[in-house]
Amino acid sequence: MKALGRLAVGRPRTVVAVVLALMVLAGVCGMSVTERLSGGGFRPPDAESFRAAQILEDHYVTGTPNVIVLADLPAGAGTIDGPEAASSGARLTTELAAVPGVRSAVSYWTAGSPEFLRDRDHTAALIAVHVPGDENAVERVTERLITTYRDRDYGPLRLRLGGAAVGYHDATVQLAHDVRLTEEVSLPVVLVLLVLIFGSLVAAGLPLVLGLVSIVGTLGILRVLTEFTQVSSYALNLTTVLGLGLGVDYSLFVVSRFREERRAGRTLSEAVTITVATAGRTVLFSASTIVIAMSAMLLFPMPFLRSLAMACLSVTVLAAAATVTVLPALLMLFGHRIDALDLRRAVRRLRGRPEPAPRPLEAGLWYRAARRVTARPIVFGGAALLLVLILGAPFAGVRLGLTDDRAFPESVQTRQVGDVLRADFTAAATSQMDVVVDGPIDGPRLSALAASIGALPHARVVRVMPGTQGADIVVMPDIHDPYSPEAHTLLTRIRQLPSPQPLLVSGATAENSDIDDGLTQRLPLVIGLIMVAMLVLLFAFTGSVVIPLKAVVLNTLSLSATCGAMVYVFQDGHLRWLVGDFTATGVLTAPVTVLVFCLAFGMSMDYEVFLLSRITEEYRIRGNTADAVAYGLERTGRIVTAAAALMAMVCVGLAFSHISFTKLMGVGLTLAVLMDATVIRGVLVPALMRLLGEANWWAPGFLRRAHRVIALREEAEPAEVAEPVPSA
């Protein structure tokens, strides 16, 4: 760290020039990344449903329909059985089947007029289209179908498109719009807050530089990754939010320490070197908490979570690297003007107010709050704990699953098609299950198996399609929600049927079941690895085994409260108006919930490292736990609160998304950050540390000896002069 500080002091222009050149390269590389992102990636590649889909694509003409064309007639234009409508429908079906990339197209008019492919009023019918291939190939074909047929009239028929593949396309388009909306909503407010918190325009511009470096660099990395693996379009939103948020967080801590060193009488070069060796060190190991959490997410088999983990890893590593390279170089170049263009000073002069005099630490808000809490730790800690438990109570009833087109607002056509199917059709083409008999089977046994499936509750239509090495038994249930308990019960019963050959089931219900299994099987391992790594990291910072355990317990409580609020709002549908109306489906989107948990845990530990690093240093100086908590909280409280407020402002921009699970991500991360920075850091941490007293610093003798080797702490003694509290 000292070497990095000396590099920034000795060659600041070279550092800035090199980083600028790398940014230009990454920007050019990342320009086309949006064209290569995927809207799906939720299904584990080794899942049963995936293998069934592959067999269908390799050996059968048809497959589970992923594009649904809803063809309806205007009011008073007759029925779909009329000559003109029937002729147009049959011709359209043939035309769709001939589109390059389409494997099959089956409609009401070409399949013998089955009732499950028409509505109850005989004014609308379905064309079920199957587009095979990986998600990039499916996206290309789907985009062609949307451009050609969506919102078009075909003879007397009016066409609307829906289905899983169309939903993925619409999600990608909507997310690109949401990124722009997030920037339009969050950035102006963030800019104002940056000026109020940092004081000067010069200092307020530093977080934007860090955010820009990490975001542009990550886009370049994601573009390279698309050549080797599937990258979710949701990575774009997360990159923007996390890049800007971490840029604000890390620059706050570094600039604050730099100002301390300057006020203590250090020269510019000394202040930069000491800042990198102290606050820079803390930033690196704080960033490592997010890296640990996101690295553990790579263990999940879903490409969606893996690509988001890679995006988070990239943006976090780049933000931390820029903090200890670019930021010190900029401080060396502009540090003597760090307080230039101070708008607060200009406002005070206009109002005739004097400059605020430096105040001792004992007069600070967070010092006084810590003293008040530590004076009555049971009262304050008990009240805070009760609040956390009340907020977390709904989490006991959490139900994880996937969402369907109801994640979109009613203005999106994919949602409109889904609503029509649920309301007006007796069976649901979007809930179709394909039961693949994976091996040779004779006619009588196949007929008996199909009859057994047809006898199950909700198996409305069963069609048998024999193959050369097995068969495809198409099951059309009368369940319009493929993720409902009834659909999962039907799936379980099909999988449990006796069969001479293995039965592999594909379709939305089977995919949802496989995703749940993939998450639940890996989640204990992921959580365990995160916990162990966090304990080791915090032990390296504090030399205690008690403080890391306390931190993990409190973070778990904080996340339980956050998840409880998510269940109350997004699963149960309460207080929807607070985040913009959406459709509550009775489940939390499983991959997004896991992402929020892992990312929020890493970010919470990020703040924990900053707080504990100062508390530990104060304890080494003062030798008293209560004093260490009060002085450590005063030195970091305002900074952590400001960083959390800015991070929350960035994250809350996601709540303005038009996709419900993107709202879920934004609200979940915002609540986690605010809960951690206020109730946990402001009340529960000082209360519990006061109750534990000197036991906070206990560790067995062999661990104390190990800590002398791996200790991670800020080496310089902090200055005793407090920074003036902004008038804002």
Side-chain angles (χ1 to χ4, degrees):
M1 298 307 301
K2 288 181 178 178
L4 283 175
R6 287 192 294 269
L7 176 64
V9 169
R11 298 180 178 272
R13 289 183 175 83
T14 302
V15 172
V16 172
V18 169
V19 172
L20 183 60
L22 292 175
M23 277 188 62
V24 172
L25 179 63
V28 172
C29 179
M31 287 177 61
S32 61
V33 67
T34 55
E35 302 171 3
R36 302 181 61 87
L37 299 178
S38 167
F42 298 100
R43 183 174 59 185
D46 59 346
E48 175 189 308
S49 58
F50 184 83
R51 298 201 306 274
Q54 287 296 116
I55 292 173
L56 289 174
E57 290 186 8
D58 294 340
H59 301 290
Y60 294 87
V61 176
T62 61
T64 304
N66 48 6
V67 176
I68 302 296
V69 180
L70 174 64
D72 57 3
L73 294 168
T79 70
I80 56 172
D81 296 306
E84 188 178 3
S87 173
S88 297
R91 189 168 65 253
L92 174 61
T93 306
T94 302
E95 185 177 309
L96 285 169
V99 172
V102 171
R103 172 69 64 86
S104 64
V106 178
S107 73
Y108 170 79
W109 300 281
T110 62
S113 304
E115 63 172 335
F116 67 89
L117 288 178
R118 62 159 172 81
D119 69 344
R120 296 181 177 88
D121 297 332
H122 292 226
T123 59
L126 299 181
I127 304 174
V129 179
H130 173 59
V131 180
D134 59 30
E135 291 188 346
N136 289 330
V138 171
E139 167 64 20
R140 288 192 294 270
V141 178
T142 302
E143 188 172 2
R144 188 182 309 127
L145 293 174
I146 290 173
T147 303
T148 307
Y149 296 103
R150 172 173 270 182
D151 290 325
R152 300 295 175 89
D153 291 332
Y154 198 95
L157 302 173
R158 182 183 59 186
L159 307 183
R160 288 180 285 176
L161 270 63
V166 178
Y168 289 150
H169 171 84
D170 288 345
T172 302
V173 173
Q174 187 63 56
L175 285 168
H177 173 268
D178 291 342
V179 168
R180 294 192 298 270
L181 181 63
T182 299
E183 294 170 351
E184 293 170 1
V185 171
S186 299
L187 282 182
V189 180
V190 168
L191 289 174
V192 173
L193 290 177
L194 283 174
V195 174
L196 292 176
I197 292 170
F198 281 88
S200 74
L201 291 178
V202 174
L206 297 177
L208 301 181
V209 173
L210 292 188
L212 186 63
V213 169
S214 56
I215 291 171
V216 173
T218 300
L219 294 181
I221 292 174
L222 292 180
R223 174 60 182 85
V224 174
L225 288 175
T226 59
E227 296 290 336
F228 306 99
T229 186
Q230 181 179 345
V231 178
S232 172
S233 55
Y234 302 94
L236 209 58
N237 297 65
L238 205 54
T239 295
T240 303
V241 168
L242 197 58
L244 185 56
L246 291 180
V248 169
D249 277 5
Y250 296 159
S251 57
L252 258 175
F253 291 110
V254 170
V255 171
S256 174
R257 185 57 183 255
F258 174 77
R259 281 172 163 166
E260 280 188 20
E261 299 302 330
R262 289 289 281 167
R263 285 195 304 272
R266 312 283 189 185
T267 65
L268 183 61
S269 58
E270 289 174 342
V272 171
T273 304
I274 293 174
T275 297
V276 176
T278 55
R281 180 192 299 270
T282 304
V283 163
L284 284 186
F285 286 98
S286 297
S288 66
T289 62
I290 300 178
V291 169
I292 289 169
M294 293 300 101
S295 297
M297 271 183 55
L298 293 174
L299 296 175
F300 288 115
M302 284 72 74
F304 170 82
L305 286 177
R306 294 171 66 89
S307 63
L308 291 187
M310 287 186 287
C312 291
L313 284 170
S314 300
V315 77
T316 303
V317 169
L318 289 176
T323 302
V324 296
T325 55
V326 182
L327 186 53
L330 292 175
L331 288 175
M332 192 63 200
L333 293 174
F334 304 106
H336 60 286
R337 303 195 59 197
I338 193 69
D339 295 320
L341 302 178
D342 192 336
L343 299 186
R344 297 176 305 181
R345 185 178 303 161
V347 171
R348 285 193 295 266
R349 288 175 179 173
L350 287 175
R351 301 178 64 181
R353 292 189 175 183
E355 293 290 325
R359 297 191 299 176
L361 293 176
E362 293 78 7
L365 171 65
W366 286 100
Y367 178 89
R368 289 182 282 114
R371 286 300 191 190
R372 189 173 294 113
V373 170
T374 53
R376 305 179 69 182
I378 295 178
V379 174
F380 285 99
L385 181 60
L386 180 62
L387 173 63
V388 170
L389 293 176
I390 291 173
L391 290 175
F395 188 47
V398 65
R399 294 186 297 276
L400 298 178
L402 287 183
T403 187
D404 52 17
D405 55 86
R406 287 170 292 179
F408 293 102
E410 295 179 359
S411 59
V412 176
Q413 191 173 108
T414 305
R415 168 66 183 273
Q416 296 170 359
V417 171
D419 287 343
V420 171
L421 294 181
R422 283 183 286 271
D424 299 334
F425 284 74
T426 57
T430 53
S431 297
Q432 175 179 317
M433 301 182 192
D434 282 86
V435 183
V436 176
V437 183
D438 190 17
I441 184 171
D442 56 39
R445 289 185 177 181
L446 180 59
S447 299
L449 179 59
S452 299
I453 294 175
L456 296 175
H458 300 294
R460 177 119 177 111
V461 179
V462 177
R463 293 184 294 129
V464 178
M465 303 181 64
T468 56
Q469 294 295 323
D472 173 22
I473 304 175
V474 180
V475 182
M476 196 77 69
D478 59 5
I479 305 167
H480 290 281
D481 183 358
Y483 309 127
S484 65
E486 294 81 7
H488 279 278
T489 299
L490 175 59
L491 172 67
T492 301
R493 289 178 175 177
I494 290 175
R495 285 175 166 174
Q496 291 175 345
L497 286 174
S499 171
Q501 298 292 346
L503 299 182
L504 308 177
V505 185
S506 74
T509 306
E511 290 179 10
N512 183 51
S513 176
D514 292 340
I515 289 171
D516 280 346
D517 291 343
L519 288 174
T520 55
Q521 290 173 5
R522 300 287 180 91
L523 193 58
L525 174 62
V526 169
I527 293 177
L529 289 175
I530 292 175
M531 297 291 188
V532 171
M534 296 298 181
L535 290 173
V536 172
L537 182 66
L538 290 181
F539 168 75
F541 254 97
T542 63
S544 163
V545 297
V546 177
I547 289 178
L549 289 172
K550 170 199 66 65
V552 168
V553 171
L554 292 184
N555 275 10
T556 303
L557 285 174
S558 175
L559 288 178
S560 298
T562 298
C563 292
M566 290 162 58
V567 169
Y568 186 76
V569 176
F570 288 92
Q571 176 178 299
D572 300 337
H574 302 293
L575 302 176
R576 287 181 292 177
W577 57 271
L578 285 175
V579 294
D581 199 16
F582 60 91
T583 300
T585 59
V587 298
L588 291 184
T589 307
V592 174
T593 303
V594 171
L595 171 67
V596 169
F597 178 87
C598 293
L599 185 54
F601 197 94
M603 291 168 60
S604 297
M605 283 297 185
D606 181 59
Y607 293 138
E608 182 82 9
V609 168
F610 283 113
L611 176 60
L612 289 179
S613 64
R614 274 304 177 92
I615 289 179
T616 303
E617 291 302 314
E618 292 294 339
Y619 180 75
R620 293 193 180 104
I621 295 170
R622 304 176 190 280
N624 180 277
T625 300
D627 290 344
V629 170
Y631 283 102
L633 197 58
E634 173 58 27
R635 290 189 180 279
T636 60
R638 187 177 64 85
I639 302 172
V640 169
T641 304
L646 287 165
M647 177 68 83
M649 185 55 61
V650 173
C651 292
V652 80
L654 294 176
F656 290 92
S657 171
H658 291 83
I659 301 178
S660 62
F661 49 82
T662 308
K663 286 181 181 290
L664 172 66
M665 185 189 304
V667 172
L669 292 176
T670 301
L671 289 176
V673 168
L674 293 180
M675 174 67 67
D676 188 76
T678 55
V679 177
I680 302 300
R681 302 286 163 257
V683 181
L684 282 177
V685 167
L688 189 54
M689 291 192 74
R690 174 66 179 85
L691 291 173
L692 292 173
E694 296 305 307
N696 280 290
W697 315 101
W698 180 83
F702 72 95
L703 287 181
R704 286 198 297 272
R705 290 190 293 272
H707 180 258
R708 296 190 189 102
V709 178
I710 65 172
L712 310 171
R713 57 177 180 267
E714 296 191 359
E715 298 173 356
E717 183 176 330
E720 292 295 323
V721 181
E723 182 180 357
V725 178
S727 57

